Amino acid sequence: MRRHLTLILLAACVRENSLGPAPECTTSKDCRSGLECMVGLCYGDPPKLDFAAVLVPPDDRSDLTVTDIQSMSIAKDGEASLAFGAPVPVTGRVVLKAGDAASVAARVYFNRALRIPGADPYSVEVTAQAGKQPGEIGFRAMVAPNVPGEAYDVVVLPDDGTIQSAPAGETPAALAPPLKTRLEVTGQMRVDLALQDAAGLKTIGGRVVDAASRGMPGISVTAWGRRTPASPMELASSQATTAIDGSFVVYVPVSWDDTFDVLCAPGTLHAPTLRRRGVVVLDGAYALPALLLRYPSYPRAVRYELPVLGPDNAGGNRAADGAKVTLRTPLGATAGDEVTYETQATADSAGIAAVWLIPGSIDLNRTYGVDVLPLPNAPHAAAWNQTVVVGPPNASTGDGGVLADLELGRRAYVTGLVKDARGVPVENLLVVPQLSPFFTNATTPDVRARAWTIGLPQNVTTDRGGHFALYLDPSVAGATAFYDLDLVPPSGSRDPRWSHDRVMPPANGDGLNLGDLALPRSSLAYAIVKDSTGQPVADAEVRVYVRSQDPTVCNGAPAGCVPPARLRVLAKTNSDGFVTLVLPSP
């Protein structure tokens, strides 16, 4: 069983317990007043911050699960109480429908919000095996029992690659849609998770054809719908690939709202995407007449070369090698269907992106919208909603030729100097840039969705003088961007983890010198991490958060925004379960 807790900041290293070879004390008299000497270090005087913790068990402890501690108490001498809670097993099978004799293979996810406001979600993932009979165990998940008012959001994804053939007359599990359900786990429980809910499935069938009514094979077809009329749109169906004659069948839940969107995606083909909205699917096995999804007439896609250039540090241009280019153009509508052509390519070492585009004509050029995501460490900025004009292919060769250069803007060159609380530069400190919640909380859903696709700069490390330098995009999809820089001292350091927040790169791409970034004074705490029986746990991961008290991070955000908790310690216990926690004491 593989457990994970998704965290934005896991790019940073995990501290070991060794805090350097040089002890700072031999007795408590060597420490400042109120601190106690232990194993050569001065512990105690914990900062007055709202700490919380998450414990992650090692892979070889299948009897443990992730434990979130809403409020972490630290004694005056620095001792913290950290213990794994007692997990409960949830066992069972994944079946196509309730009462089936044999199980099917799937991935099962148990998700819930952490009990630490603003921290990232708790998730346990397990594999469900195929061919298990009633009474046998197809999956086993160790989870923390729910508290009152809490439940797990369970997601079941059928495993198309390992599912066995279904009996004659039954829907193959590979064709079943994903299952989402809620389970309240208060103790050990056994449950069979049926991909079909009690109401069962119904079908959407039909053909995908071209303008000449010829079947289009190899098109991926899915349906998107709403659980209730007021629910958000989400994937509702199995996935089908059209046969040689363009035919397909997908399955959707009877219990959902009866109106769906049917999406035809080309996969590896150079073809458009077609979406038909508002398809009403009445309940009943085959109540719906076969859909005819007809693509409009469009020219064959042709290979073009798109040079992508960005500014260099000498004031000229350089090839934007490695940049990911996405081009899209509407092809109008036919019978009310929305038809869009989209393609992607990566620029080669010369900055040339070889793209297959539906060309324009002699009489009318075709305009494409373009997004470009450069490599994270490149000096040129991402481009959003740029335009490229495409004419007809070469009449003699049939090739598209070379398009006009696409020139990118400049990223801001951000520099700074990190010093410890004594004013000494910190060497080998990791600087981890992240889009700030001051930006992501307040921006539009469209910009937020694009923000997750942007290639953030690579983490950089301070040099011997404590200096760092990195590139940041001034904007994301036209919105002014803010960044937080997570400052992670090297393993063995007695400096605390900290952050420098709300960095706004200049819009014109000029450099930005942040000056001196000071780490706060540190305070050392310790704990012996134990399991529910009181035994120490070796190699456990300890994450200590500071719960935010800054409500301004939610200014302009939708209702329900919660200020994020900040990760301030990431450490591992030693073979005796002991861990030193270097806490910030601002």
Side-chain angles (χ1 to χ4, degrees):
M1 177 170 63
R2 183 165 65 92
R3 302 172 182 81
H4 64 277
L5 181 70
T6 307
L7 287 173
I8 294 175
L9 302 179
L10 280 184
C13 59
V14 176
R15 297 181 190 272
E16 297 295 331
N17 291 307
S18 172
L19 293 182
E24 62 177 349
C25 63
T26 54
T27 70
S28 295
K29 293 181 180 179
D30 299 327
C31 302
R32 72 174 189 268
S33 177
L35 302 185
E36 294 191 14
C37 183
M38 184 172 60
V39 294
L41 298 173
C42 296
Y43 290 84
D45 188 22
K48 293 178 173 58
L49 296 174
D50 192 359
F51 289 112
V54 174
L55 307 180
V56 182
D59 290 339
D60 60 355
R61 290 296 300 267
S62 60
D63 59 316
L64 301 177
T65 193
V66 174
T67 298
D68 42 351
I69 300 169
Q70 292 174 273
S71 182
M72 187 179 80
S73 61
I74 306 173
K76 289 184 178 180
D77 64 359
E79 183 178 10
S81 178
L82 296 176
F84 283 94
V88 294
V90 179
T91 59
R93 305 180 302 155
V94 175
V95 293
L96 178 62
K97 60 180 184 294
D100 276 359
S103 68
V104 297
R107 300 297 294 172
V108 184
Y109 301 84
F110 291 78
N111 304 318
R112 65 165 170 82
L114 276 183
R115 296 163 191 160
I116 302 168
D120 292 285
Y122 170 110
S123 183
V124 170
E125 175 189 349
V126 294
T127 299
Q129 297 177 327
K132 296 297 182 181
Q133 304 299 309
E136 295 181 326
I137 293 178
F139 70 85
R140 178 185 180 89
M142 299 296 291
V143 301
N146 289 130
V147 297
E150 180 185 80
Y152 284 99
D153 293 312
V154 180
V155 178
V156 184
L157 301 180
D159 187 342
D160 295 0
T162 59
I163 289 176
Q164 300 174 344
S165 298
E170 291 190 8
T171 305
L175 300 180
L179 170 69
K180 291 185 179 180
T181 188
R182 284 179 66 82
L183 283 180
E184 184 178 353
V185 181
T186 57
Q188 178 177 344
M189 68 183 302
R190 177 179 175 82
V191 60
D192 279 358
L193 299 171
L195 292 169
Q196 296 184 27
D197 59 26
L201 299 175
K202 54 189 177 183
T203 60
I204 301 177
R207 291 181 68 219
V208 180
V209 300
D210 62 17
S213 297
R214 295 169 296 198
M216 296 181 65
I219 300 292
S220 172
V221 182
T222 52
W224 296 70
R226 306 178 190 276
R227 295 175 184 273
T228 69
S231 300
M233 185 73 75
E234 58 183 300
L235 177 64
S237 75
S238 57
Q239 177 176 315
T241 301
T242 54
I244 190 68
D245 64 348
S247 61
F248 70 90
V249 175
V250 295
Y251 298 86
V252 295
V254 170
S255 60
W256 285 37
D257 184 63
D258 287 341
T259 302
F260 297 86
D261 286 2
V262 178
L263 181 68
C264 302
T268 58
L269 303 176
H270 298 307
T273 295
L274 183 151
R275 180 187 292 269
R276 178 168 294 181
R277 297 189 183 275
V279 176
V280 177
V281 186
L282 300 176
D283 297 344
Y286 289 93
L288 178 75
L291 283 176
L292 184 64
L293 301 169
R294 186 185 302 276
Y295 273 81
S297 177
Y298 58 90
R300 176 179 60 88
V302 176
R303 184 183 184 276
Y304 289 79
E305 292 187 350
L306 175 62
V308 185
L309 304 176
D312 60 21
N313 292 326
N317 283 337
R318 54 172 281 186
D321 55 299
K324 182 179 178 181
V325 182
T326 302
L327 301 97
R328 65 185 66 83
T329 187
L331 294 181
T334 175
D337 298 330
E338 300 170 7
V339 184
T340 304
Y341 181 75
E342 181 174 309
T343 188
Q344 292 183 339
T346 300
D348 63 17
S349 59
I352 303 298
V355 291
W356 288 82
L357 302 177
I358 295 174
S361 65
I362 296 176
D363 300 323
L364 183 65
N365 290 333
R366 189 179 300 280
T367 300
Y368 282 80
V370 186
D371 291 345
V372 182
L373 294 178
L375 291 174
N377 58 347
H380 27 266
W384 310 91
N385 302 321
Q386 301 297 304
T387 58
V388 168
V389 177
V390 179
N394 186 289
S396 59
T397 65
D399 291 335
V402 181
L403 299 170
D405 293 351
L406 179 63
E407 296 187 5
L408 305 178
R410 182 184 296 277
R411 281 175 170 153
Y413 190 60
V414 179
T415 58
L417 169 61
V418 182
K419 295 183 177 181
D420 64 18
R422 300 167 299 165
V424 177
V426 182
E427 181 183 0
N428 290 328
L429 175 139
L430 196 63
V431 181
V432 185
Q434 303 288 340
L435 283 167
S436 173
F438 284 94
F439 169 74
T440 55
N441 285 344
T443 193
T444 66
D446 176 66
V447 171
R448 190 179 303 116
R450 293 188 177 210
W452 303 139
T453 68
I454 190 172
L456 284 170
Q458 294 174 338
N459 305 336
V460 296
T461 303
T462 55
D463 62 17
R464 294 185 63 181
H467 299 92
F468 70 89
L470 49 80
Y471 291 103
L472 294 176
D473 275 276
S475 65
V476 175
T480 300
F482 293 88
Y483 297 83
D484 292 349
L485 303 182
D486 202 40
L487 308 176
V488 186
S491 178
S493 173
R494 295 169 190 168
D495 291 320
R497 183 176 184 140
W498 198 239
S499 63
H500 184 76
D501 300 338
R502 298 189 73 175
V503 174
M504 185 177 71
N508 58 6
D510 286 348
L512 174 63
N513 186 351
L514 298 174
D516 293 354
L517 309 184
L519 300 178
R521 180 174 66 88
S522 65
S523 174
L524 298 187
Y526 70 94
I528 298 177
V529 177
K530 300 176 182 179
D531 61 21
S532 59
T533 68
Q535 297 301 307
V537 179
D539 204 33
E541 190 170 285
V542 180
R543 304 170 185 172
V544 178
Y545 292 84
V546 173
R547 292 163 58 145
S548 175
Q549 304 297 323
D550 182 7
T552 65
V553 74
C554 288
N555 287 352
C561 171
V562 177
R566 303 303 298 264
L567 181 65
R568 293 308 189 204
V569 176
L570 187 57
K572 275 194 173 181
T573 60
N574 66 12
S575 57
D576 298 318
F578 181 87
V579 63
T580 292
L581 308 173
V582 183
L583 304 173
S585 187

